[in-house]
Coordinates of all heavy atoms in Angstrom, one line a residue:
A177 N -119.0 82.3 19.9 CA -119.4 82.8 18.5 C -120.9 82.5 18.3 O -121.3 81.4 18.4 CB -118.6 82.1 17.4
A178 N -121.6 83.5 18.0 CA -123.1 83.4 17.7 C -123.2 83.5 16.2 O -122.8 84.4 15.6 CB -123.8 84.6 18.4
L179 N -123.8 82.4 15.6 CA -123.8 82.2 14.2 C -125.2 82.1 13.7 O -126.0 81.2 14.2 CB -123.0 81.0 13.8 CG -121.7 80.8 14.4 CD1 -121.2 79.4 14.2 CD2 -120.7 81.8 13.8
G180 N -125.7 83.0 12.9 CA -127.0 82.9 12.4 C -127.2 83.9 11.2 O -126.4 83.9 10.3
T181 N -128.1 84.9 11.4 CA -128.3 85.9 10.4 C -127.0 86.7 10.2 O -126.7 87.1 9.1 CB -129.5 86.9 10.8 OG1 -130.6 86.1 11.1 CG2 -129.7 87.9 9.8
G182 N -126.3 86.9 11.3 CA -125.0 87.5 11.3 C -124.0 86.7 12.0 O -124.3 85.5 12.4
I183 N -122.9 87.2 12.4 CA -121.9 86.5 13.2 C -121.3 87.5 14.2 O -120.9 88.6 13.8 CB -120.8 85.8 12.4 CG1 -119.8 85.0 13.3 CG2 -120.1 86.7 11.5 CD1 -118.9 84.1 12.6
F225 N -116.4 88.4 6.0 CA -116.5 87.1 6.6 C -117.9 86.8 6.9 O -118.4 85.7 6.7 CB -115.5 87.0 7.8 CG -115.5 85.6 8.4 CD1 -115.0 84.5 7.7 CD2 -115.9 85.4 9.7 CE1 -115.0 83.3 8.2 CE2 -115.9 84.2 10.3 CZ -115.4 83.1 9.5
E226 N -118.6 87.8 7.5 CA -120.0 87.5 7.9 C -120.8 87.2 6.6 O -121.7 86.4 6.6 CB -120.6 88.8 8.6 CG -122.0 88.6 8.9 CD -122.5 89.8 9.8 OE1 -122.2 89.8 11.0 OE2 -123.3 90.6 9.3
T228 N -120.0 85.6 4.2 CA -119.6 84.3 3.7 C -120.3 83.2 4.5 O -120.8 82.2 4.0 CB -118.1 84.1 3.6 OG1 -117.5 85.1 2.8 CG2 -117.7 82.7 3.1
V229 N -120.2 83.4 5.9 CA -120.6 82.3 6.7 C -121.9 82.5 7.4 O -122.4 81.6 8.1 CB -119.5 82.0 7.8 CG1 -118.2 81.7 7.2 CG2 -119.4 83.2 8.8
S230 N -122.6 83.6 7.2 CA -123.9 83.8 7.8 C -124.9 83.0 7.0 O -124.6 82.4 6.0 CB -124.2 85.3 7.8 OG -124.3 85.8 6.5
T231 N -126.2 83.1 7.4 CA -127.3 82.4 6.7 C -127.3 82.9 5.2 O -127.6 82.1 4.3 CB -128.6 82.6 7.4 OG1 -128.9 84.0 7.6 CG2 -128.6 81.9 8.7
R232 N -127.2 84.2 5.1 CA -127.2 84.8 3.7 C -126.1 84.2 2.9 O -126.3 83.9 1.7 CB -127.0 86.3 3.8 CG -127.0 87.1 2.5 CD -127.1 88.6 2.7 NE -126.1 89.1 3.6 CZ -125.0 89.7 3.1 NH1 -124.8 89.8 1.8 NH2 -124.1 90.2 3.9
G233 N -124.9 84.1 3.4 CA -123.8 83.6 2.6 C -123.9 82.1 2.3 O -123.6 81.7 1.2
I234 N -124.5 81.3 3.2 CA -124.7 79.9 3.0 C -125.7 79.7 1.9 O -125.6 78.8 1.0 CB -125.0 79.1 4.2 CG1 -123.8 79.2 5.2 CG2 -125.3 77.7 4.0 CD1 -124.1 78.6 6.6
L235 N -126.8 80.4 2.0 CA -127.9 80.4 1.0 C -127.3 80.8 -0.4 O -127.6 80.1 -1.4 CB -129.0 81.3 1.3 CG -130.2 80.7 2.2 CD1 -131.1 81.8 2.6 CD2 -130.9 79.6 1.4
S247 N -134.3 78.3 3.0 CA -133.7 78.6 4.2 C -132.4 77.8 4.4 O -132.3 76.7 3.8 CB -134.7 78.4 5.4 OG -134.9 77.0 5.6
V248 N -131.6 78.3 5.3 CA -130.4 77.5 5.7 C -130.8 76.2 6.4 O -130.1 75.2 6.3 CB -129.4 78.4 6.5 CG1 -128.3 77.5 7.2 CG2 -128.8 79.4 5.6
R249 N -131.8 76.4 7.2 CA -132.3 75.2 8.0 C -132.6 74.0 7.0 O -132.3 72.9 7.2 CB -133.6 75.5 8.8 CG -134.2 74.3 9.4 CD -135.4 74.7 10.3 NE -135.0 75.4 11.5 CZ -135.8 75.8 12.5 NH1 -137.1 75.5 12.4 NH2 -135.3 76.4 13.5
A250 N -133.2 74.4 5.8 CA -133.6 73.3 4.9 C -132.3 72.7 4.3 O -132.3 71.5 4.0 CB -134.4 74.0 3.7
I251 N -131.3 73.5 4.1 CA -130.0 73.0 3.6 C -129.4 72.0 4.6 O -129.0 70.9 4.2 CB -129.0 74.1 3.3 CG1 -129.6 75.0 2.2 CG2 -127.7 73.6 2.8 CD1 -128.8 76.3 1.9
F252 N -129.3 72.4 5.8 CA -128.8 71.5 6.9 C -129.6 70.3 7.0 O -129.1 69.2 7.2 CB -128.7 72.3 8.2 CG -127.4 73.1 8.3 CD1 -127.3 74.3 7.8 CD2 -126.3 72.5 9.0 CE1 -126.1 75.1 8.0 CE2 -125.1 73.2 9.2 CZ -125.0 74.5 8.6
E256 N -128.3 66.4 6.5 CA -128.5 65.4 7.5 C -129.2 64.2 7.0 O -129.1 63.1 7.5 CB -129.1 66.0 8.8 CG -128.2 67.0 9.5 CD -129.0 67.7 10.6 OE1 -130.2 67.4 10.9 OE2 -128.4 68.7 11.2
V266 N -122.6 72.5 3.1 CA -122.5 72.7 4.5 C -121.0 72.5 4.9 O -120.5 73.3 5.7 CB -123.4 71.6 5.3 CG1 -123.0 71.6 6.8 CG2 -124.8 72.0 5.1
S269 N -119.0 75.5 4.0 CA -119.3 76.7 4.8 C -118.7 76.5 6.2 O -118.1 77.5 6.7 CB -120.8 76.8 4.9 OG -121.4 77.0 3.7
L270 N -118.7 75.3 6.7 CA -118.1 75.1 8.1 C -116.5 75.2 8.0 O -115.9 75.6 8.9 CB -118.5 73.8 8.6 CG -120.1 73.7 8.9 CD1 -120.4 72.4 9.6 CD2 -120.5 74.9 9.7
L273 N -115.9 78.8 8.1 CA -116.1 79.3 9.5 C -114.9 78.9 10.3 O -114.4 79.8 11.1 CB -117.3 78.6 10.0 CG -117.6 78.8 11.5 CD1 -117.7 80.3 11.9 CD2 -118.8 78.0 12.0
V290 N -117.2 78.2 22.0 CA -118.6 77.8 22.2 C -119.3 78.4 21.0 O -119.2 79.6 20.7 CB -119.1 78.3 23.5 CG1 -120.6 77.9 23.6 CG2 -118.3 77.8 24.7
L291 N -120.2 77.6 20.4 CA -121.0 78.0 19.2 C -122.4 78.1 19.7 O -123.0 77.2 20.3 CB -120.9 77.0 18.1 CG -119.5 76.8 17.5 CD1 -119.6 75.8 16.3 CD2 -118.8 78.1 17.1
G292 N -123.0 79.3 19.3 CA -124.5 79.5 19.6 C -125.1 80.0 18.3 O -124.5 80.1 17.3
G293 N -126.4 80.4 18.5 CA -127.1 81.0 17.3 C -127.7 79.8 16.5 O -127.5 78.6 16.8
G294 N -128.5 80.2 15.5 CA -129.3 79.2 14.8 C -128.4 78.2 14.1 O -128.8 77.0 13.9
I295 N -127.2 78.6 13.6 CA -126.3 77.7 12.9 C -125.5 77.0 13.9 O -125.3 75.7 13.9 CB -125.4 78.4 11.9 CG1 -126.3 79.0 10.8 CG2 -124.4 77.5 11.3 CD1 -125.5 79.9 9.8
G296 N -124.8 77.7 14.8 CA -123.9 77.1 15.8 C -124.5 76.1 16.7 O -123.8 75.1 17.1
A297 N -125.8 76.2 17.0 CA -126.4 75.2 17.9 C -126.8 73.9 17.3 O -127.3 73.0 17.9 CB -127.6 75.9 18.6
R298 N -126.8 73.9 15.9 CA -127.3 72.7 15.2 C -126.4 71.5 15.6 O -125.2 71.6 15.7 CB -127.2 72.9 13.7 CG -128.3 73.8 13.2 CD -128.5 73.6 11.7 NE -129.0 72.3 11.4 CZ -130.3 72.0 11.1 NH1 -131.2 72.9 11.1 NH2 -130.6 70.7 10.8
P299 N -127.0 70.3 15.8 CA -126.3 69.1 16.1 C -125.2 68.8 15.0 O -125.4 68.9 13.8 CB -127.3 68.0 16.1 CG -128.6 68.7 16.3 CD -128.5 70.1 15.7
G300 N -124.0 68.5 15.5 CA -122.9 68.1 14.6 C -122.1 69.2 14.1 O -120.9 69.0 13.6
V301 N -122.5 70.5 14.2 CA -121.8 71.6 13.7 C -120.5 71.8 14.5 O -119.4 71.9 13.9 CB -122.6 72.9 13.7 CG1 -121.7 74.1 13.5 CG2 -123.7 72.8 12.6
A302 N -120.6 71.8 15.8 CA -119.4 72.0 16.6 C -118.3 70.9 16.3 O -117.1 71.3 16.2 CB -119.7 72.0 18.1
A303 N -118.7 69.7 16.2 CA -117.7 68.6 15.9 C -117.0 68.8 14.6 O -115.8 68.6 14.4 CB -118.4 67.3 16.0
K304 N -117.8 69.2 13.6 CA -117.2 69.4 12.2 C -116.2 70.6 12.2 O -115.2 70.5 11.6 CB -118.3 69.6 11.2 CG -119.1 68.4 10.9 CD -120.2 68.7 9.8 CE -121.0 67.4 9.5 NZ -122.0 67.6 8.5
V305 N -116.6 71.7 12.9 CA -115.7 72.8 13.0 C -114.5 72.5 13.8 O -113.3 72.9 13.4 CB -116.4 74.0 13.7 CG1 -115.5 75.2 14.0 CG2 -117.6 74.5 12.8
V319 N -114.3 72.6 20.5 CA -115.4 73.4 20.0 C -116.7 72.7 20.5 O -116.9 71.5 20.2 CB -115.4 73.5 18.5 CG1 -116.6 74.4 18.0 CG2 -114.1 74.1 18.0
L320 N -117.6 73.4 21.3 CA -118.8 72.8 21.8 C -120.0 73.7 21.6 O -119.8 75.0 21.4 CB -118.6 72.7 23.3 CG -117.5 71.7 23.8 CD1 -117.4 71.8 25.4 CD2 -117.8 70.3 23.4
P321 N -121.2 73.2 21.5 CA -122.4 74.0 21.4 C -122.7 74.7 22.7 O -122.3 74.2 23.8 CB -123.5 73.0 21.0 CG -123.0 71.7 21.6 CD -121.5 71.7 21.5
S322 N -123.4 75.8 22.6 CA -123.8 76.5 23.8 C -124.6 75.6 24.8 O -125.4 74.8 24.4 CB -124.6 77.7 23.4 OG -125.2 78.3 24.6

Side-chain angles (χ1 to χ4, degrees):
L179 314 167
T181 305
I183 179 169
F225 185 62
E226 178 172 288
T228 301
V229 301
S230 65
T231 55
R232 176 167 60 96
I234 296 173
L235 270 173
S247 68
V248 167
R249 172 177 293 185
I251 298 172
F252 274 84
E256 291 170 8
V266 167
S269 298
L270 297 185
L273 172 62
V290 180
L291 301 183
I295 297 174
R298 287 196 67 101
V301 167
K304 289 181 180 178
V305 172
V319 182
L320 296 173
S322 168

